[in-house]
Coordinates of all heavy atoms in Angstrom, one line a residue:
R1 N 79.8 68.4 27.2 CA 78.9 69.5 26.9 C 77.4 69.1 27.0 O 76.6 69.9 27.5 CB 79.3 70.1 25.6 CG 78.8 71.4 25.3 CD 79.2 72.0 24.0 NE 80.4 71.5 23.5 CZ 80.8 71.7 22.2 NH1 80.1 72.3 21.4 NH2 82.0 71.2 21.8
N2 N 77.1 68.0 26.4 CA 75.7 67.5 26.4 C 75.2 67.3 27.8 O 74.0 67.6 28.1 CB 75.5 66.3 25.6 CG 75.7 66.5 24.1 OD1 75.5 67.6 23.7 ND2 76.1 65.5 23.4
M3 N 76.0 66.8 28.7 CA 75.6 66.5 30.1 C 75.3 67.8 30.8 O 74.4 68.0 31.6 CB 76.6 65.7 30.9 CG 76.7 64.3 30.4 SD 77.9 63.3 31.1 CE 77.3 63.1 32.8
V4 N 76.2 68.8 30.6 CA 75.9 70.2 31.2 C 74.7 70.8 30.7 O 73.9 71.4 31.4 CB 77.2 71.1 30.9 CG1 76.9 72.5 31.4 CG2 78.4 70.5 31.6
L5 N 74.4 70.7 29.4 CA 73.2 71.2 28.8 C 71.9 70.5 29.4 O 71.0 71.2 29.8 CB 73.2 71.0 27.3 CG 71.9 71.4 26.6 CD1 71.6 72.9 26.8 CD2 72.0 71.1 25.1
C6 N 72.0 69.2 29.5 CA 70.9 68.4 30.2 C 70.7 68.9 31.6 O 69.5 69.0 32.1 CB 71.1 66.9 30.1 SG 70.9 66.3 28.4
A7 N 71.7 69.1 32.3 CA 71.6 69.5 33.7 C 71.0 70.9 33.8 O 70.1 71.2 34.6 CB 73.0 69.5 34.4
E8 N 71.4 71.8 32.9 CA 70.9 73.1 32.9 C 69.4 73.1 32.6 O 68.6 73.8 33.2 CB 71.6 74.0 31.8 CG 71.0 75.4 31.7 CD 71.7 76.2 30.7 OE1 72.5 75.7 29.9 OE2 71.4 77.4 30.6
M9 N 69.0 72.2 31.6 CA 67.6 72.1 31.3 C 66.7 71.6 32.4 O 65.7 72.1 32.7 CB 67.4 71.2 30.1 CG 68.0 71.8 28.8 SD 68.1 70.6 27.4 CE 66.5 70.1 27.2
L10 N 67.3 70.6 33.1 CA 66.6 70.0 34.3 C 66.4 71.0 35.4 O 65.3 71.2 35.9 CB 67.4 68.8 34.8 CG 66.8 68.1 36.0 CD1 65.6 67.3 35.6 CD2 67.8 67.3 36.7
L11 N 67.5 71.7 35.7 CA 67.4 72.7 36.8 C 66.4 73.9 36.4 O 65.7 74.3 37.3 CB 68.8 73.2 37.1 CG 69.7 72.2 37.7 CD1 71.1 72.7 37.9 CD2 69.2 71.8 39.1
K12 N 66.5 74.4 35.2 CA 65.6 75.5 34.8 C 64.2 75.1 34.8 O 63.3 75.8 35.2 CB 66.0 76.0 33.4 CG 67.3 76.9 33.5 CD 67.5 77.6 32.2 CE 68.8 78.4 32.3 NZ 68.7 79.7 31.8
S13 N 63.9 73.8 34.4 CA 62.5 73.4 34.4 C 62.0 73.1 35.8 O 60.9 73.4 36.2 CB 62.3 72.1 33.6 OG 63.1 71.0 34.1
A14 N 62.9 72.7 36.7 CA 62.5 72.5 38.1 C 62.2 73.8 38.8 O 61.3 73.9 39.6 CB 63.6 71.7 38.8
L15 N 63.0 74.8 38.5 CA 62.7 76.1 39.1 C 61.5 76.8 38.5 O 60.8 77.6 39.2 CB 63.9 77.1 38.9 CG 65.2 76.7 39.7 CD1 66.4 77.6 39.2 CD2 64.9 76.8 41.2
E16 N 61.1 76.5 37.3 CA 59.9 77.0 36.7 C 58.6 76.5 37.4 O 57.6 77.2 37.6 CB 59.9 76.7 35.2 CG 58.7 77.2 34.5 CD 58.6 78.7 34.3 OE1 59.6 79.4 34.5 OE2 57.5 79.2 34.0
R17 N 58.7 75.2 37.8 CA 57.5 74.6 38.4 C 57.4 75.0 39.8 O 58.3 74.8 40.6 CB 57.6 73.0 38.3 CG 56.4 72.3 38.8 CD 56.5 70.8 38.5 NE 56.4 70.5 37.1 CZ 55.2 70.5 36.4 NH1 54.1 70.7 37.0 NH2 55.2 70.2 35.1
K18 N 56.2 75.5 40.2 CA 56.0 76.1 41.5 C 55.2 75.1 42.4 O 54.1 75.4 42.9 CB 55.3 77.4 41.5 CG 56.0 78.4 40.6 CD 57.3 78.8 41.2 CE 58.0 79.9 40.4 NZ 59.2 79.6 39.8
E19 N 55.6 73.8 42.4 CA 55.0 72.7 43.2 C 56.0 71.6 43.3 O 57.0 71.6 42.6 CB 53.7 72.3 42.5 CG 54.0 71.6 41.2 CD 52.9 70.7 40.6 OE1 51.9 70.6 41.3 OE2 53.1 70.2 39.5
S20 N 55.6 70.6 44.1 CA 56.3 69.3 44.2 C 55.5 68.4 43.3 O 54.3 68.3 43.4 CB 56.4 68.8 45.6 OG 57.4 69.6 46.4
R21 N 56.2 67.6 42.5 CA 55.5 66.6 41.7 C 56.4 65.4 41.5 O 57.5 65.6 40.9 CB 55.1 67.2 40.4 CG 54.2 66.2 39.5 CD 53.6 66.9 38.4 NE 52.5 67.9 38.7 CZ 51.3 67.6 38.9 NH1 50.8 66.3 38.8 NH2 50.4 68.5 39.3
Y22 N 56.0 64.3 41.9 CA 56.7 63.0 41.7 C 58.2 63.2 42.2 O 58.4 63.4 43.4 CB 56.6 62.5 40.3 CG 55.1 62.3 39.9 CD1 54.6 63.2 39.0 CD2 54.4 61.4 40.5 CE1 53.2 63.0 38.6 CE2 53.0 61.3 40.2 CZ 52.4 62.1 39.3 OH 51.1 62.0 39.0
G23 N 59.1 63.1 41.3 CA 60.5 63.1 41.8 C 61.1 64.5 41.9 O 62.2 64.7 42.4
M24 N 60.3 65.5 41.6 CA 60.8 66.9 41.7 C 60.2 67.5 43.0 O 59.0 67.9 43.0 CB 60.3 67.8 40.5 CG 61.0 67.5 39.3 SD 62.7 68.0 39.5 CE 63.3 67.8 37.8
L25 N 61.0 67.4 44.1 CA 60.5 67.9 45.4 C 61.0 69.2 45.7 O 62.2 69.5 45.5 CB 61.0 66.9 46.5 CG 60.4 65.5 46.3 CD1 61.1 64.6 47.3 CD2 58.9 65.4 46.5
R26 N 60.2 70.1 46.1 CA 60.6 71.5 46.5 C 60.1 71.8 47.9 O 58.9 71.7 48.1 CB 60.0 72.5 45.5 CG 60.6 72.4 44.1 CD 60.4 73.5 43.2 NE 60.8 74.8 43.8 CZ 60.8 76.0 43.2 NH1 60.5 76.0 41.9 NH2 61.2 77.1 43.8
E27 N 61.0 72.1 48.7 CA 60.6 72.4 50.1 C 59.8 73.7 50.2 O 58.9 73.8 51.0 CB 61.8 72.5 51.0 CG 61.5 72.5 52.5 CD 62.7 72.3 53.4 OE1 63.8 72.2 52.8 OE2 62.5 72.3 54.6
D28 N 60.1 74.6 49.3 CA 59.4 75.9 49.3 C 58.0 75.8 48.7 O 57.1 76.6 48.9 CB 60.2 77.0 48.6 CG 60.6 76.6 47.2 OD1 60.6 75.4 46.9 OD2 61.0 77.5 46.5
Y29 N 57.7 74.7 48.0 CA 56.4 74.4 47.4 C 56.1 72.9 47.7 O 56.2 72.1 46.8 CB 56.3 74.7 45.9 CG 56.6 76.1 45.5 CD1 57.8 76.6 45.1 CD2 55.5 77.0 45.6 CE1 58.0 77.9 44.7 CE2 55.7 78.4 45.3 CZ 57.0 78.8 44.8 OH 57.2 80.1 44.5
P30 N 55.6 72.6 48.9 CA 55.5 71.2 49.2 C 54.2 70.5 48.7 O 54.1 69.3 48.8 CB 55.4 71.2 50.8 CG 54.8 72.6 51.0 CD 55.3 73.5 50.0
C31 N 53.3 71.2 48.1 CA 52.0 70.6 47.6 C 52.1 70.2 46.1 O 52.8 70.8 45.3 CB 50.9 71.6 47.8 SG 50.5 72.0 49.5
M32 N 51.4 69.2 45.8 CA 51.1 68.8 44.4 C 49.8 69.6 44.1 O 48.8 69.5 44.8 CB 50.8 67.3 44.3 CG 52.1 66.5 44.4 SD 51.8 64.7 44.1 CE 51.5 64.7 42.3
D33 N 49.9 70.4 43.0 CA 48.8 71.3 42.7 C 48.3 71.0 41.4 O 48.7 71.6 40.3 CB 49.4 72.8 42.8 CG 48.3 73.8 42.6 OD1 47.2 73.5 42.4 OD2 48.7 75.0 42.7
N34 N 47.2 70.2 41.3 CA 46.5 69.9 40.0 C 45.5 71.0 39.6 O 44.9 70.9 38.6 CB 45.8 68.6 40.1 CG 46.8 67.4 40.0 OD1 48.0 67.6 39.7 ND2 46.4 66.3 40.4
V35 N 45.4 72.0 40.5 CA 44.5 73.1 40.1 C 45.3 74.1 39.2 O 44.8 74.5 38.2 CB 44.0 73.8 41.4 CG1 43.1 75.0 41.0 CG2 43.2 72.9 42.3
N36 N 46.5 74.5 39.7 CA 47.2 75.6 39.0 C 48.4 75.0 38.2 O 48.9 75.7 37.3 CB 47.7 76.6 40.0 CG 46.6 77.2 40.7 OD1 45.7 77.8 40.2 ND2 46.7 77.2 42.0
W37 N 48.9 73.8 38.5 CA 50.1 73.4 37.9 C 50.0 72.0 37.2 O 51.0 71.3 37.1 CB 51.2 73.3 38.9 CG 51.9 74.6 39.0 CD1 51.7 75.6 39.9 CD2 52.8 75.2 38.0 NE1 52.4 76.7 39.6 CE2 53.1 76.5 38.4 CE3 53.4 74.7 36.9 CZ2 54.0 77.3 37.8 CZ3 54.3 75.5 36.2 CH2 54.6 76.8 36.6
L38 N 48.9 71.7 36.5 CA 48.8 70.6 35.7 C 49.3 71.0 34.3 O 48.5 71.3 33.4 CB 47.4 70.1 35.6 CG 47.2 68.6 35.2 CD1 48.0 67.7 36.0 CD2 45.8 68.2 35.3
K39 N 50.6 71.2 34.2 CA 51.2 71.8 33.0 C 52.4 71.1 32.5 O 53.1 70.3 33.3 CB 51.7 73.2 33.4 CG 50.5 74.2 33.8 CD 51.1 75.5 34.2 CE 50.0 76.4 34.7 NZ 49.5 77.3 33.7
W40 N 52.8 71.2 31.3 CA 54.0 70.8 30.8 C 55.0 72.0 30.8 O 54.7 73.1 30.6 CB 53.9 70.4 29.3 CG 53.2 69.1 29.1 CD1 53.2 68.0 29.8 CD2 52.3 68.8 28.0 NE1 52.4 67.0 29.3 CE2 51.9 67.5 28.2 CE3 51.8 69.5 26.9 CZ2 51.0 66.9 27.3 CZ3 51.0 68.9 26.0 CH2 50.6 67.6 26.2
I41 N 56.3 71.7 31.2 CA 57.3 72.7 31.2 C 58.1 72.5 29.9 O 58.6 71.4 29.6 CB 58.3 72.5 32.4 CG1 57.5 72.6 33.7 CG2 59.4 73.6 32.3 CD1 56.8 73.9 34.0
L42 N 58.2 73.5 29.1 CA 58.9 73.4 27.8 C 60.1 74.3 27.8 O 60.1 75.4 28.4 CB 57.9 73.9 26.7 CG 56.6 73.1 26.7 CD1 55.5 73.8 25.9 CD2 56.8 71.7 26.2
L43 N 61.1 73.9 27.1 CA 62.4 74.6 26.9 C 62.8 74.7 25.5 O 62.5 73.7 24.7 CB 63.5 73.9 27.7 CG 63.3 73.8 29.2 CD1 62.9 72.4 29.6 CD2 64.5 74.2 29.9
Q44 N 63.4 75.8 25.1 CA 63.9 75.9 23.8 C 65.2 76.7 23.8 O 65.3 77.8 24.4 CB 62.9 76.6 22.9 CG 63.4 76.7 21.4 CD 62.3 77.2 20.5 OE1 61.4 78.0 21.0 NE2 62.4 76.9 19.2
K45 N 66.3 76.1 23.3 CA 67.6 76.8 23.3 C 67.7 77.5 22.0 O 67.5 76.9 20.9 CB 68.7 75.8 23.5 CG 70.0 76.4 23.6 CD 71.0 75.3 24.0 CE 72.4 75.8 24.3 NZ 73.1 76.3 23.2
D46 N 68.2 78.7 22.0 CA 68.4 79.5 20.9 C 69.9 79.3 20.5 O 70.8 79.6 21.2 CB 68.2 81.0 21.1 CG 68.5 81.9 19.9 OD1 68.7 81.3 18.8 OD2 68.4 83.1 20.1
D47 N 70.1 78.6 19.3 CA 71.5 78.2 18.9 C 72.4 79.4 18.7 O 73.6 79.4 18.9 CB 71.4 77.4 17.6 CG 70.8 76.0 17.9 OD1 71.0 75.5 19.0 OD2 70.2 75.5 16.9
G48 N 71.8 80.5 18.3 CA 72.6 81.7 18.0 C 73.2 82.4 19.3 O 74.3 82.8 19.3
T49 N 72.3 82.5 20.3 CA 72.8 83.2 21.5 C 73.1 82.3 22.7 O 73.5 82.8 23.7 CB 71.7 84.2 21.9 OG1 70.5 83.5 22.3 CG2 71.3 85.2 20.8
S50 N 72.8 81.1 22.6 CA 72.9 80.1 23.7 C 72.1 80.4 24.9 O 72.3 79.8 26.0 CB 74.4 79.9 24.1 OG 74.8 81.0 24.9
S51 N 71.1 81.2 24.8 CA 70.1 81.5 25.9 C 69.0 80.4 25.8 O 68.8 79.8 24.7 CB 69.5 82.9 25.8 OG 68.8 83.0 24.6
M52 N 68.3 80.2 26.9 CA 67.3 79.2 26.9 C 66.0 79.8 27.3 O 65.9 80.5 28.3 CB 67.7 78.1 27.9 CG 66.9 76.8 27.7 SD 67.5 75.5 28.8 CE 69.1 75.3 28.2
K53 N 64.9 79.5 26.6 CA 63.6 80.0 26.8 C 62.9 78.9 27.6 O 62.9 77.8 27.2 CB 62.9 80.4 25.6 CG 61.5 80.9 25.7 CD 60.8 81.2 24.4 CE 59.4 81.5 24.5 NZ 58.7 81.6 23.3
V54 N 62.2 79.3 28.7 CA 61.4 78.3 29.5 C 60.0 78.8 29.7 O 59.8 80.0 30.0 CB 62.1 78.2 30.9 CG1 61.3 77.1 31.7 CG2 63.5 77.8 30.8
W55 N 59.0 78.0 29.4 CA 57.6 78.4 29.6 C 56.8 77.2 29.9 O 57.3 76.0 29.8 CB 57.1 79.1 28.3 CG 56.9 78.3 27.1 CD1 55.7 77.8 26.7 CD2 57.8 77.8 26.2 NE1 55.8 77.0 25.6 CE2 57.1 77.1 25.2 CE3 59.2 78.0 26.0 CZ2 57.8 76.5 24.1 CZ3 59.8 77.4 24.9 CH2 59.1 76.7 24.0
S56 N 55.6 77.4 30.3 CA 54.7 76.3 30.6 C 53.4 76.4 29.8 O 53.0 77.5 29.4 CB 54.3 76.2 32.1 OG 53.6 77.4 32.4
E57 N 52.8 75.2 29.5 CA 51.5 75.1 28.8 C 50.7 74.1 29.5 O 51.1 73.1 30.0 CB 51.8 74.6 27.3 CG 52.4 75.6 26.5 CD 52.6 75.2 25.0 OE1 52.1 74.1 24.7 OE2 53.2 75.9 24.3
D58 N 49.4 74.4 29.6 CA 48.4 73.5 30.2 C 48.4 72.2 29.5 O 48.5 72.1 28.3 CB 47.0 74.1 30.2 CG 46.9 75.3 31.1 OD1 47.7 75.4 32.1 OD2 46.0 76.1 30.9
V59 N 48.3 71.1 30.3 CA 48.2 69.7 29.7 C 46.8 69.7 29.2 O 45.8 70.0 29.9 CB 48.5 68.7 30.8 CG1 48.2 67.3 30.2 CG2 49.9 68.7 31.3
P60 N 46.6 69.2 27.9 CA 45.2 69.1 27.4 C 44.5 67.9 27.9 O 44.2 66.9 27.2 CB 45.4 69.1 25.9 CG 46.8 68.4 25.8 CD 47.6 68.9 26.9
V61 N 44.1 67.9 29.2 CA 43.5 66.8 29.9 C 42.2 66.3 29.3 O 41.8 65.2 29.4 CB 43.4 67.0 31.4 CG1 44.8 67.1 32.0 CG2 42.6 68.2 31.7
R62 N 41.5 67.2 28.7 CA 40.2 66.9 28.1 C 40.3 65.9 27.0 O 39.4 65.2 26.7 CB 39.5 68.1 27.6 CG 39.2 69.1 28.7 CD 38.2 70.2 28.3 NE 38.1 71.4 29.1 CZ 37.8 71.4 30.3 NH1 37.5 70.3 31.0 NH2 37.7 72.6 31.0
K63 N 41.5 65.7 26.4 CA 41.7 64.8 25.3 C 41.9 63.4 25.8 O 41.8 62.4 25.1 CB 43.0 65.2 24.6 CG 42.9 66.5 23.8 CD 44.2 67.0 23.4 CE 44.7 66.3 22.1 NZ 46.0 66.9 21.6
Y64 N 42.1 63.2 27.1 CA 42.5 61.9 27.7 C 41.3 61.3 28.4 O 40.5 61.9 29.0 CB 43.7 62.0 28.6 CG 44.9 62.6 28.0 CD1 45.3 63.8 28.2 CD2 45.6 61.8 27.0 CE1 46.5 64.4 27.6 CE2 46.7 62.3 26.4 CZ 47.1 63.6 26.7 OH 48.2 64.1 26.1
E65 N 41.2 59.9 28.3 CA 40.1 59.2 29.0 C 40.2 59.4 30.5 O 39.2 59.6 31.2 CB 40.2 57.7 28.6 CG 39.0 56.9 29.0 CD 39.1 55.5 28.5 OE1 39.6 55.3 27.4 OE2 38.7 54.6 29.3
L66 N 41.4 59.2 31.1 CA 41.5 59.3 32.5 C 41.7 60.8 32.9 O 42.7 61.4 32.4 CB 42.7 58.5 33.0 CG 42.5 57.0 32.9 CD1 43.8 56.3 33.3 CD2 41.4 56.5 33.7
Q67 N 40.9 61.3 33.7 CA 41.0 62.7 34.1 C 41.5 62.8 35.6 O 41.0 62.2 36.5 CB 39.6 63.4 34.1 CG 38.9 63.3 32.8 CD 39.6 64.3 31.8 OE1 39.8 65.4 32.1 NE2 39.8 63.8 30.6
P68 N 42.6 63.6 35.8 CA 43.1 63.8 37.1 C 42.1 64.7 38.0 O 41.4 65.5 37.4 CB 44.4 64.5 36.9 CG 44.3 65.2 35.6 CD 43.4 64.4 34.8
K69 N 42.1 64.4 39.3 CA 41.3 65.3 40.1 C 41.9 66.6 40.2 O 43.2 66.8 40.4 CB 41.2 64.6 41.5 CG 40.4 63.4 41.6 CD 40.3 62.9 43.0 CE 39.5 61.6 43.0 NZ 39.5 61.0 44.4
R70 N 41.1 67.7 40.1 CA 41.6 69.0 40.3 C 41.6 69.4 41.8 O 40.7 69.9 42.3 CB 40.7 70.0 39.5 CG 40.7 69.8 38.0 CD 42.0 70.2 37.5 NE 42.0 70.2 36.0 CZ 42.7 71.0 35.3 NH1 43.6 71.8 35.8 NH2 42.7 70.9 34.0
E71 N 42.8 69.1 42.4 CA 42.9 69.3 43.8 C 44.4 69.7 44.1 O 45.3 69.4 43.3 CB 42.5 68.1 44.6 CG 43.3 66.8 44.3 CD 42.8 65.6 45.0 OE1 41.8 65.7 45.8 OE2 43.3 64.5 44.8
K72 N 44.6 70.2 45.3 CA 45.9 70.6 45.8 C 46.1 69.9 47.1 O 45.3 69.9 48.0 CB 46.0 72.1 46.0 CG 47.3 72.6 46.4 CD 47.3 74.1 46.5 CE 48.7 74.6 47.0 NZ 48.7 76.1 47.1
F73 N 47.2 69.1 47.3 CA 47.5 68.4 48.5 C 49.0 68.3 48.7 O 49.8 68.4 47.8 CB 46.8 67.0 48.4 CG 47.2 66.2 47.2 CD1 48.3 65.3 47.3 CD2 46.6 66.3 46.0 CE1 48.7 64.6 46.2 CE2 46.9 65.6 44.9 CZ 48.0 64.7 45.0
I74 N 49.4 68.1 50.0 CA 50.8 67.9 50.3 C 51.3 66.7 49.7 O 50.7 65.6 49.8 CB 51.0 68.0 51.8 CG1 50.6 69.3 52.4 CG2 52.4 67.6 52.2 CD1 50.9 69.5 53.9
H75 N 52.5 66.8 49.0 CA 53.1 65.7 48.4 C 53.4 64.6 49.4 O 53.7 64.9 50.6 CB 54.5 66.1 47.8 CG 55.1 65.1 46.9 ND1 55.8 64.0 47.4 CD2 55.2 65.0 45.6 CE1 56.3 63.3 46.4 NE2 56.0 63.9 45.3
P76 N 53.1 63.3 49.1 CA 53.3 62.2 50.1 C 54.7 62.2 50.7 O 54.8 61.8 51.9 CB 53.1 60.9 49.2 CG 52.2 61.4 48.1 CD 52.6 62.8 47.8
F77 N 55.7 62.6 50.0 CA 57.1 62.6 50.6 C 57.1 63.6 51.8 O 57.6 63.3 52.9 CB 58.1 63.0 49.6 CG 59.5 63.2 50.2 CD1 60.3 62.1 50.3 CD2 59.9 64.4 50.6 CE1 61.6 62.3 50.8 CE2 61.2 64.6 51.1 CZ 62.0 63.5 51.3
W78 N 56.6 64.8 51.6 CA 56.6 65.8 52.6 C 55.7 65.5 53.8 O 55.9 65.7 54.9 CB 56.3 67.2 52.1 CG 57.3 67.7 51.1 CD1 57.1 68.0 49.8 CD2 58.7 67.9 51.4 NE1 58.3 68.3 49.2 CE2 59.3 68.3 50.2 CE3 59.5 67.8 52.5 CZ2 60.7 68.6 50.1 CZ3 60.9 68.1 52.4 CH2 61.4 68.5 51.2
Q79 N 54.6 64.8 53.4 CA 53.6 64.4 54.4 C 54.3 63.4 55.4 O 54.1 63.5 56.6 CB 52.4 63.8 53.8 CG 51.3 63.5 54.7 CD 50.0 63.0 54.0 OE1 50.0 62.7 52.8 NE2 48.9 62.9 54.7
R80 N 55.0 62.4 54.8 CA 55.6 61.4 55.6 C 56.8 62.0 56.4 O 56.9 61.6 57.6 CB 56.1 60.2 54.7 CG 56.8 59.1 55.5 CD 55.7 58.4 56.3 NE 56.3 57.3 57.0 CZ 56.0 56.9 58.2 NH1 55.0 57.4 58.9 NH2 56.6 55.8 58.7
A81 N 57.5 62.9 55.9 CA 58.6 63.6 56.6 C 58.0 64.3 57.8 O 58.6 64.4 58.8 CB 59.4 64.5 55.7
Q82 N 56.9 64.9 57.6 CA 56.2 65.7 58.7 C 55.8 64.7 59.8 O 55.9 65.0 61.0 CB 55.1 66.5 58.1 CG 54.6 67.6 59.0 CD 53.7 68.6 58.3 OE1 53.1 68.3 57.3 NE2 53.6 69.8 58.9
E83 N 55.2 63.6 59.4 CA 54.7 62.6 60.4 C 55.9 62.1 61.2 O 55.7 61.8 62.4 CB 54.1 61.4 59.6 CG 52.7 61.7 59.0 CD 52.2 60.6 58.1 OE1 52.9 59.6 58.0 OE2 51.2 60.8 57.5
L84 N 57.1 61.9 60.6 CA 58.2 61.4 61.3 C 59.0 62.5 62.1 O 59.9 62.2 62.8 CB 59.2 60.7 60.3 CG 58.6 59.5 59.6 CD1 59.6 59.0 58.5 CD2 58.4 58.4 60.7
G85 N 58.6 63.7 61.9 CA 59.2 64.8 62.6 C 60.4 65.4 62.0 O 61.2 66.1 62.7
Y86 N 60.7 65.0 60.8 CA 61.9 65.5 60.1 C 61.7 66.8 59.4 O 62.7 67.5 59.0 CB 62.4 64.5 59.0 CG 62.9 63.2 59.6 CD1 62.3 62.0 59.2 CD2 63.9 63.2 60.5 CE1 62.7 60.8 59.7 CE2 64.3 62.0 61.1 CZ 63.7 60.8 60.7 OH 64.2 59.6 61.2
W87 N 60.5 67.2 59.2 CA 60.2 68.4 58.5 C 58.9 69.1 59.1 O 58.0 68.4 59.5 CB 59.9 68.0 57.0 CG 59.6 69.2 56.1 CD1 60.4 70.1 55.6 CD2 58.3 69.4 55.5 NE1 59.7 71.0 54.8 CE2 58.4 70.6 54.7 CE3 57.0 68.8 55.6 CZ2 57.4 71.1 54.0 CZ3 56.0 69.4 54.9 CH2 56.2 70.5 54.1
N88 N 58.9 70.4 59.2 CA 57.8 71.1 59.7 C 57.5 72.3 58.9 O 58.3 73.1 58.7 CB 58.1 71.5 61.2 CG 56.9 72.1 61.8 OD1 55.7 72.0 61.4 ND2 57.1 72.8 62.9
N89 N 56.3 72.3 58.3 CA 55.8 73.4 57.5 C 54.4 73.6 57.8 O 53.6 72.7 58.0 CB 56.0 73.0 56.0 CG 55.8 74.2 55.1 OD1 55.1 75.2 55.5 ND2 56.4 74.2 53.9
T90 N 54.0 74.9 57.9 CA 52.7 75.3 58.2 C 51.8 75.5 57.0 O 50.6 75.7 57.2 CB 52.7 76.6 59.1 OG1 53.3 77.6 58.3 CG2 53.4 76.4 60.4
E91 N 52.3 75.4 55.8 CA 51.5 75.6 54.6 C 50.5 74.4 54.5 O 50.8 73.2 54.6 CB 52.3 75.6 53.3 CG 51.5 75.8 52.1 CD 52.3 75.9 50.8 OE1 53.5 76.2 50.9 OE2 51.7 75.7 49.8
K92 N 49.3 74.8 54.3 CA 48.2 73.8 54.1 C 47.8 73.7 52.7 O 47.9 74.7 51.9 CB 47.0 74.1 55.0 CG 47.3 74.2 56.5 CD 47.6 72.8 57.0 CE 47.9 72.9 58.5 NZ 48.7 71.9 59.0
A93 N 47.3 72.6 52.2 CA 46.9 72.4 50.8 C 45.7 73.3 50.6 O 44.9 73.7 51.4 CB 46.6 70.9 50.6

């Protein structure tokens, strides 16, 4: 039961994120987007109804010494796949 719950949480959070980031690759959203998607994905399960609430909150980057660049670019995985001819997408960063 716990493994199924973890899988459900992983899949729901992956579908909520509208970008590719690190190990979460989405062919429909091939870019890493630090402009719009520098966010935490949060989940909360309601014990009474077994439904799961999914939402996102901005990462409070101003609190951290290292600041990420606010840019949007094609994820290195998709970029390499395109160079090798395995994947073709016309979306530009």
